[in-house]
Amino acid sequence: MAAFRKSRNFLKQLRLLTGLRKMAHSSKEDDVRLVDILRIYNDKNGNSQFRSFKIEMKGSGTIGYLSEMVHCEGVIFRETPADYNYSWHNAPRRQFIVNLDADVEIEVSSGEKRVIKQGEIFFVEDVAGKGHYSRSVDGRSRRSLFIPVKDNFLHGNE
């Protein structure tokens, strides 16, 4: 936790997380913006796949755009080493993951790989089946946030 407090870029990273860096200073209340979230899930055969879903944010005047409240269990702070190479594994729970300061490469069952960039949010829910493979990118350590969701969280792709 102390490492996160010492980071000069922590507030900048949180602004990236919330998308505030890209938002106008004011919005009309009838304006809607969508945040695209990459999802890692299992198909009916237990193979991990990529898909995305959108979270709607509505104009909230001078504070920008806000989504509806997503009820979560808490926040877990994580740091992975520069040589991080985590073989096939399942997500421990359904959760958002936010890359704060580095990228991560994720591979799913089909062999498809995607790099999830610093500041991007993704959602893992492949809690059974083959799982996914995670690797560091460019030999960089990575700080991230795990945000476990409540069991009743629906993202529209169920």
Side-chain angles (χ1 to χ4, degrees):
M1 181 86 166
F4 283 94
R5 274 189 246 128
K6 290 181 182 178
S7 173
R8 292 181 332 157
N9 293 323
F10 186 65
L11 289 176
K12 180 180 176 183
Q13 293 160 356
L14 285 177
R15 283 195 288 289
L16 284 171
L17 159 66
T18 60
L20 293 175
R21 183 176 61 91
K22 296 179 182 177
M23 291 181 199
H25 290 287
S26 64
S27 62
K28 295 181 181 175
E29 292 181 14
D30 58 347
D31 284 349
V32 173
R33 299 232 175 138
L34 299 174
V35 177
D36 195 44
I37 306 290
L38 181 65
R39 171 183 172 222
I40 301 167
Y41 72 101
N42 288 332
D43 64 18
K44 63 183 177 186
N45 297 317
N47 294 312
S48 55
Q49 304 286 330
F50 290 118
R51 179 181 266 174
S52 63
F53 65 94
K54 300 193 183 308
I55 294 180
E56 184 177 280
M57 297 187 306
K58 294 181 180 176
S60 297
T62 58
I63 64 169
Y65 295 81
L66 295 173
S67 72
E68 293 293 323
M69 175 77 70
V70 175
H71 296 281
C72 299
E73 296 288 334
V75 175
I76 300 166
F77 295 83
R78 180 182 193 202
E79 185 170 352
T80 53
D83 62 352
Y84 179 71
N85 188 18
Y86 194 14
S87 189
W88 295 101
H89 63 283
N90 296 105
R93 67 194 73 77
R94 296 175 72 226
Q95 62 190 3
F96 288 99
I97 300 176
V98 183
N99 287 341
L100 294 175
D101 59 359
D103 305 345
V104 65
E105 179 185 84
I106 304 290
E107 181 177 350
V108 293
S109 299
S110 67
E112 180 182 1
K113 299 175 185 176
R114 295 200 189 175
V115 174
I116 301 162
K117 301 283 189 185
Q118 164 185 326
E120 291 185 332
I121 305 165
F122 59 111
F123 186 77
V124 293
E125 58 182 336
D126 58 333
V127 296
K130 184 173 182 179
H132 60 276
Y133 200 114
S134 306
R135 296 174 191 87
S136 65
V137 175
D138 296 329
R140 292 184 60 197
S141 63
R142 176 176 57 107
R143 293 180 187 154
S144 56
L145 299 176
F146 289 177
I147 307 171
V149 298
K150 301 261 186 188
D151 289 339
N152 62 353
F153 172 73
L154 299 175
H155 48 62
N157 288 330
E158 280 84 11

